[in-house]
Amino acid sequence: MSIQLFNSATRTVEPFTPLKQGEVGIYNCGPTVYDYQHIGNLYAYIAADITRRTLEYLGYQVNQVMNITDVGHLVDDADTGGQDKMAIGARREGIDPLAMAKKYAEQFMVDRRKLNIQDPHIVAKATEHVPEMIALIERLIAQSHAYAAPDGVYFDTTTFAGYGTRLNPEPPESREAGARVEVNPNKRNPFDFALWRAAKPGDLQQWDSPWGRGNPGWHIECSAMSMKYLGETFDVHTGGEDHLFPHHECEIAQSEAATGRHFVNYWMHNHFMRFDSAKMAKSSGGFFRLDDLIARGHDPLAFRMLALGVSYRKGLDFTWDSLAEAERRLSAWRSQIRDAAQRTTAEAPVQDDPIRSAFTAAISDDFNTPRALAQAEAAMKLVNSTDEPSRRRGLGLLFDMDRVLGLGLEASATATDDLAPDDERLFDERVAARADGDFKRSDELRVALEARGIKVKDTKDGARWERIAKGSAS
Ligand code: AMP
Ligand code: ZN
């Protein structure tokens, strides 16, 4: 089945055709590791993960590359004294930037894995690719697309026709933010952007270069690393909607100016996750990390379930209630799957199973995860059915769909004995009391288990348990 995806470069949904038949190269703009990633950042990587998993599900061999920005990302992109995020973080923590970068990059990978986000095939650190960036800047200077100034090297945006409008309908000049760009006298044009910045006294990260000691600009790292690993033209480039301008416009300009070739065929941008209350605003001191959700008793995969409930192109309004709702849905699926799996085995779906076909159609339609979840619900109905062949088919369908959804559904089928020892003892005692006809004791134990978050259900196949989903924790 051919996949349709929304390409920010054309602002239309297009059929996807890879450069090489059966293979796809994907570059994800990675995080700047000067602080913990919040759940909004992680949401962007769930979207990227769904893209990769969908393409793999459809039979493509994917090569996924993600960068780690551990240098050179200014807080604002104005190149007029904006502060380096890495320097801010390192000073805040009193450690050197590389130690700080390592800490946050590792935590990011841990969080990703908790969300069943697959590791990219290549994770490329900016600090390990400075020579490639310098070489690219030299190419641009040699072709008069860039010029050296006293405070660094700049890309001359007037040498690239249509700068700033390849992904964005309005030209940079008409942007409100653009109008506020302060004039740096070292730049030839207000929108020129830094490829290299001359070291300032006290700069913690600096390298030698043909233009003296300094550090690379943020945009150049993504061009240098993506082209190194995926070639000068590649298939898919992802990032959050904030990267539409200037980051990705700068990447296009400098890459295409250097190579004379088309840079990326499909640009994908996830819309933002929005937070529900003022207390979560960054300005008032905090945003939520995955560990904050876990500390409130939530399963990380409930967050993944929540993310899948809305298209990546709509973005997500995060609320504690919606997280609890997603968690209830996930735990209901898990316990129903566990129940069915105790009685029957899964049967791999046939290629033209109508539910499988509808699922494939949904994910192929610009990664329509809400519609895909609706097909998973259809499979859940089969799982809950009274006849054995339907249950077998339902389980098989769900496990197959989970190659894309990544909700760990197959693991939940076998998770029969993950009660804490004390809970297990109470559960066993209750089973025994009921078997003895001591209903008073059995009821007491049921209530006791409920108080501990375990709901007991008596089915014709014996007692089963499920976790009671957390209510709103706010
Ligand atoms: P950064 O470290 O700021 O470059 O962010 C890492 C990734 O997270 C980028 O692709 C951003 O576009 C994305 N991102 C940042 N904030 C959000 C948000 N609230 N919702 C979704 N994606 C976000
Ligand atoms: Zn990038």
Side-chain angles (χ1 to χ4, degrees), residues 29-32 38 40-41 43-45 239-240 242-243 270-273:
C29 268
T32 307
H38 55 70
N41 300 128
Y43 172 70
Y45 299 102
D242 55 329
H243 289 347
N270 66 277
H271 279 221
F272 260 30
M273 179 171 147

Side-chain angles (χ1 to χ4, degrees), residues 10 12 33 56 70 118 120 130-131 172 263 296 303 307 321 333 337 346 351 375 385 387 406 421 437 450 463 472:
T10 56
T12 55
V33 283
E56 285 177 342
D70 53 0
Q118 292 182 319
V130 175
F263 178 43
R296 287 184 177 224
F303 179 65
D321 284 347
W333 285 17
I337 288 172
Q351 202 65 23
Q375 291 312 314
S385 124
D387 77 285
E450 261 171 32
S472 167

